Amino acid sequence: MARILLPVLLLAFLPGAALFPNPDNDLFSGQDRPVPDGEFVRSVLPAHRVRLEYLVREFEENDAFRRRQTYTAFAEYAFLDYLSAFARVPYTRLDSTGEGSRTHLDTVSLGMRLGGELAWDLYPAAGLEIGFATGNQDRGIGHKRLGYFEPRAGLMWLPGPIYLGLTGRYNTQSNVSFQETEEERFDRTWFFEAQAGLVLNDLDLF
């Protein structure tokens, strides 16, 4: 049975540095107002992007302390103002009490995004991300056989300095045969996210 998760992201303010930085090949070129590049935009709208991410999580499991560190390289290229392709390459280190350190390539993914301004200050978007079985479940990092498919859709409303965004994603595991077995069942999860923000056009502190 699919599980429904409802994380809600509420960002009260976005500084000017978080806006689209590429005026030459910009999804919103020709506009005289900035478009936020917050979590919503990074999730669904096309653009040229390159970034490195670091995520650390610490937790206790069966009286053992665990620390999970993931380093991710991300690159996205916009072929057109409304179409882009991206790649995500994560590498994970897992430290556990009494077990030492384990490292491995995590779930590598490729995807595409489609989106842009429609009318009435609305920005619809859709996309698909495919995760590959590049991990190693024996080390607790990713999986050798199971990847995933994740279609997504979103809508942003940007009438002025305030914007609202909604996204929905459906994530399902899969294998090379695209078939479940009695020994290998797929996890399926819905994600719904909401975001609100304030875009600062010009900020002069001096």
Side-chain angles (χ1 to χ4, degrees), residues 28 33 116-124 155-159 164:
F28 311 100
R33 58 177 174 170
E117 185 177 15
L118 182 62
W120 307 294
D121 302 314
L122 293 174
Y123 296 79
L155 181 66
M156 181 173 67
W157 183 48
L158 184 63
L164 301 173

Side-chain angles (χ1 to χ4, degrees), residues 104-121:
H104 202 276
L105 188 66
D106 214 319
T107 304
V108 175
S109 65
L110 300 175
M112 298 193 72
R113 309 186 205 274
L114 177 68
E117 185 177 15
L118 182 62
W120 307 294
D121 302 314

Side-chain angles (χ1 to χ4, degrees), residues 163-183:
Y163 77 94
L164 301 173
L166 296 172
T167 60
R169 299 181 286 134
Y170 177 69
N171 184 292
T172 177
Q173 289 182 317
S174 186
N175 52 29
V176 293
S177 62
F178 305 104
Q179 292 182 345
E180 288 182 300
T181 65
E182 290 296 330
E183 297 79 19

Side-chain angles (χ1 to χ4, degrees), residues 91-194:
Y91 188 83
T92 295
R93 175 190 176 102
L94 184 61
D95 296 293
S96 303
T97 303
E99 298 181 12
S101 299
R102 290 165 285 170
T103 60
H104 202 276
L105 188 66
D106 214 319
T107 304
V108 175
S109 65
L110 300 175
M112 298 193 72
R113 309 186 205 274
L114 177 68
E117 185 177 15
L118 182 62
W120 307 294
D121 302 314
L122 293 174
Y123 296 79
L128 174 66
E129 185 168 354
I130 301 174
F132 298 91
T134 52
N136 187 332
Q137 72 272 24
D138 297 333
R139 297 188 179 186
I141 302 172
H143 206 282
K144 293 179 180 178
R145 287 180 45 80
L146 295 177
Y148 66 84
F149 286 88
E150 187 177 280
R152 61 188 63 175
L155 181 66
M156 181 173 67
W157 183 48
L158 184 63
I162 297 176
Y163 77 94
L164 301 173
L166 296 172
T167 60
R169 299 181 286 134
Y170 177 69
N171 184 292
T172 177
Q173 289 182 317
S174 186
N175 52 29
V176 293
S177 62
F178 305 104
Q179 292 182 345
E180 288 182 300
T181 65
E182 290 296 330
E183 297 79 19
E184 196 169 65
R185 293 292 184 179
F186 299 159
D187 289 335
R188 298 178 175 88
T189 308
W190 280 97
F191 297 87
F192 296 97
E193 300 164 337

Side-chain angles (χ1 to χ4, degrees), residues 13-23 26 28 32-38 41-42 47-49 158 161 163 198-203:
F13 298 95
L14 284 178
L19 307 179
F20 266 108
N22 188 355
D26 194 338
F28 311 100
D32 57 0
R33 58 177 174 170
V35 175
D37 193 17
V41 179
R42 285 197 291 267
H48 290 324
R49 299 183 180 95
L158 184 63
Y163 77 94
L198 175 64
V199 180
L200 302 179
N201 195 352
D202 294 303
L203 182 62

